[in-house]
Amino acid sequence: MPLPSSSATPLLFEQGQPGRATPYVVSSASARSFLPREVLRDDLELPDLSELEMVRHFTRLSQKNFGIDLGFYPLGSCTMKHNPKVNDAAAALPGFSDLHPYTPDHLAQGALQVMWELERALSSLFGMAAFSLNPSAGAQAELTALLISKAYFRQRGDSARTTVIVPDTAHGTNPASAAMVGYKVVSLKSKENGRVDPEAMRQAVGPNTAVCMLTNPNTLGLFEDEIATIAKIVHEAGGLMYYDGANANALMGITRPGDMGFDLMHINTHKTFTIPHGGGGAGHGPVGVAAHLVEFLPTPLVVRDGPEGRTTPAHAFRLDFERPLSVGPVRSFWSNFAHAVRALAYIYANGADGLRRVSQLAVLNANYLRVKIAEFLSVPYDELCRHEFVASAQDLKHETGVRALDLAKGLLDEGYMAPTIYFPLIVPECLMIEPTETETKETLDAFVETLRALVARAQSDPQTLLDAPQRTPVGRIDETRAARQPDLRWMPPSSGANER
Ligand SMILES: *Cc1c(COP(=O)(O)O)cnc(C)c1O
């Protein structure tokens, strides 16, 4: 379903007339009387609006945005799946949402129990000794894990370890995080079959290897079947294995990074555990460690005092700040606590068997799409994939001039979110597709037929794709200029700032 096109929507400030205020909406003059003086600028014109003008304005705005609640969102690596509304209801319970971060532990036992139970659930699901719920994004979790690795080597008096090994299929945040903590990044070229080459790894490691950062399944959607050998090589060289589990949709209940030999990992609850995300926020990236690294985790950790068992004693949970080897807090307060509630609600709604089923269906759906799409687009690594796979428009581009970007824009016109494009970098003109387990066969079939029709249109009428999208609120933009000169702020027409 295409989005309604209404590019001429006036901004809120440009609507209304003096005297429009109603019993439902206060006038601008009375707003001035109760808003604190220090937050109001004299030159700020507040509009007088009727309630209907406001309702229409905000409803229209909400329709300009594409979201998972509106249509299929096959954005590879980002795991945009259905966000069960009950998770939001749980996070909005007043006992959680009204809790002040400075509430003393003995009055916040329920919230602490949520954090403790989530930490325990993640540890058992991924085979790690402990997790910190502190980082508020995947990239921040990577940074935290690398800080932990530094603290670990420092404590061992091993100052020679200065490099991080990152395969060329890695997510872009991996080398960026390594560089941010001052490690030197060594990129590792993948084998023909899209996987890490153990021989190349053997050549790359040495006494200066600190960490090897791997994503498994990697960004081509392929499982690193020599992972045990790779872990052994890195460990024998004295390095640590880091698992980027941002997107663990193919793994849950099937295999665990801890069992594969990883020392550190992170998980994006905003991807794998159905937390709404988009527009860059708000994330949640718990970081997990094996037993030898627990003492370096960020503070505070939630601990439980007293005997193990189903019935917990009163005041059993507390925040532990007394951790002398900790890298310290990496985030204010208790991170995005509402996300911890959502993630735990999701885990409990599914249970262990349900989470395994989630992974099985995510893999099944990805393979279903892979086989169907291979009928009309090339699929460079055409073998069983995990939760995602990569197709390429390279041949199509040679034949018709239509690129992955143009197919992506064409999909927007047809009411779909585009897949991730031009990533991973090792596949030219790639489209990285992740359907997730939450879509029906009918949705997947409709997507395939839409994409098939776009590829046919590339042959018969390529210009229409080069001009797409036509039906979205914003047409094709100059992507370079949008990145270099983002226009994010409304300016009054008189300022001339909008006339570019
Ligand atoms: C999304 C993602 C990240 C980064 O996570 P953010 O929360 O966006 O910082 C890192 N690695 C992989 C594999 C990802 O998919």
Side-chain angles (χ1 to χ4, degrees), residues 120-431:
R120 288 291 82 211
L122 294 177
S123 295
S124 79
L125 199 50
F126 296 109
M128 306 310 279
F131 267 83
S132 160
L133 306 181
N134 226 227
S136 55
Q140 199 192 5
E142 293 167 20
L143 187 88
T144 306
L146 293 168
L147 290 172
I148 290 172
S149 74
K150 286 209 142 176
Y152 168 76
F153 290 123
R154 193 181 310 121
Q155 216 240 340
R156 293 164 65 93
D158 188 348
S159 58
R161 301 200 174 266
T162 50
T163 59
V164 165
I165 299 171
V166 184
D168 58 6
T169 53
H171 196 270
T173 49
N174 291 185
S177 302
M180 268 191 85
V181 302
Y183 280 132
K184 194 165 141 272
V185 178
V186 174
S187 176
L188 205 65
K189 198 166 158 1
S190 298
K191 279 194 295 186
E192 281 288 89
N193 68 358
R195 289 163 172 96
V196 172
D197 181 355
E199 248 337 287
M201 186 63 83
R202 207 166 269 127
Q203 302 296 323
V205 296
N208 59 0
T209 302
V211 182
C212 167
M213 300 179 86
L214 277 188
T215 305
N216 189 26
N218 65 26
T219 53
L220 295 167
L222 303 174
F223 195 80
E224 296 286 353
D225 33 33
E226 295 186 84
I227 193 66
T229 311
I230 295 163
K232 191 156 173 278
I233 294 168
V234 173
H235 284 148
E236 281 176 1
L240 295 172
M241 288 287 289
Y242 177 77
Y243 183 95
D244 180 341
N247 184 329
N249 232 20
L251 284 197
M252 293 184 291
I254 295 171
T255 182
R256 310 192 304 172
D259 301 337
M260 298 178 211
F262 284 90
D263 307 285
L264 299 141
M265 72 170 292
H266 89 268
I267 158 89
N268 279 3
T269 62
H270 54 285
K271 290 178 183 166
T272 308
F273 296 102
T274 67
I275 290 165
H277 57 293
H284 188 224
V287 62
V289 292
H292 53 287
L293 298 171
V294 172
E295 53 196 339
F296 304 104
L297 281 173
T299 48
L301 285 186
V302 180
V303 294
R304 186 173 76 166
D305 297 327
E308 293 278 323
R310 281 189 69 81
T311 47
T312 43
H315 309 175
F317 300 97
R318 65 184 167 81
L319 293 164
D320 180 12
F321 290 88
E322 301 304 318
R323 308 182 59 81
L325 293 179
S326 163
V327 297
V330 296
R331 170 66 159 78
S332 54
F333 296 117
W334 331 127
S335 191
N336 285 324
F337 170 73
H339 280 3
V341 180
R342 290 185 179 95
L344 193 65
Y346 178 74
I347 289 171
Y348 284 161
N350 282 280
D353 291 343
L355 292 178
R356 184 180 317 114
R357 181 106 183 115
V358 161
S359 286
Q360 289 167 338
L361 288 176
V363 171
L364 180 65
N365 281 358
N367 279 288
Y368 182 73
L369 282 189
R370 176 181 59 83
V371 171
K372 289 260 183 182
I373 287 172
E375 292 168 10
F376 53 84
L377 271 181
S378 77
V379 173
Y381 300 91
D382 204 9
E383 56 170 299
L384 266 187
C385 65
R386 304 300 140 180
H387 56 289
E388 63 194 1
F389 71 100
V390 169
S392 168
Q394 179 81 335
D395 297 341
L396 189 72
K397 181 174 123 183
H398 286 316
E399 280 171 53
T400 67
V402 168
R403 301 181 300 148
L405 175 75
D406 308 313
L407 286 179
K409 300 293 185 194
L411 281 168
L412 300 182
D413 259 348
E414 302 300 327
Y416 292 99
M417 183 63 193
T420 301
I421 53 174
Y422 301 106
F423 178 77
L425 303 174
I426 59 174
V427 175
E429 294 299 329
C430 74
L431 299 117

Side-chain angles (χ1 to χ4, degrees), residues 1 9 28 35 58 71 77 91-92 106 137 192 212 222 250 339 355 409 472 475 477 486 489 492:
M1 182 194 59
T9 311
S28 57
L35 288 172
F58 287 113
S77 188
H106 71 280
E192 281 288 89
C212 167
L222 303 174
H339 280 3
L355 292 178
K409 300 293 185 194
T472 51
I477 53 168
R489 199 174 145 211

Side-chain angles (χ1 to χ4, degrees), residues 395-474:
D395 297 341
L396 189 72
K397 181 174 123 183
H398 286 316
E399 280 171 53
T400 67
V402 168
R403 301 181 300 148
L405 175 75
D406 308 313
L407 286 179
K409 300 293 185 194
L411 281 168
L412 300 182
D413 259 348
E414 302 300 327
Y416 292 99
M417 183 63 193
T420 301
I421 53 174
Y422 301 106
F423 178 77
L425 303 174
I426 59 174
V427 175
E429 294 299 329
C430 74
L431 299 117
M432 184 194 210
I433 299 172
E434 178 181 2
T436 85
E437 74 287 356
T438 56
E439 298 295 341
T440 63
K441 179 172 176 299
E442 289 78 8
T443 301
L444 301 183
D445 284 336
F447 175 71
V448 168
E449 293 320 314
T450 303
L451 196 53
R452 192 195 304 273
L454 291 177
V455 169
R457 183 133 65 82
Q459 317 275 357
S460 62
D461 192 5
Q463 192 58 41
T464 58
L465 281 168
L466 303 179
D467 293 340
Q470 297 288 334
R471 287 187 268 187
T472 51
V474 176

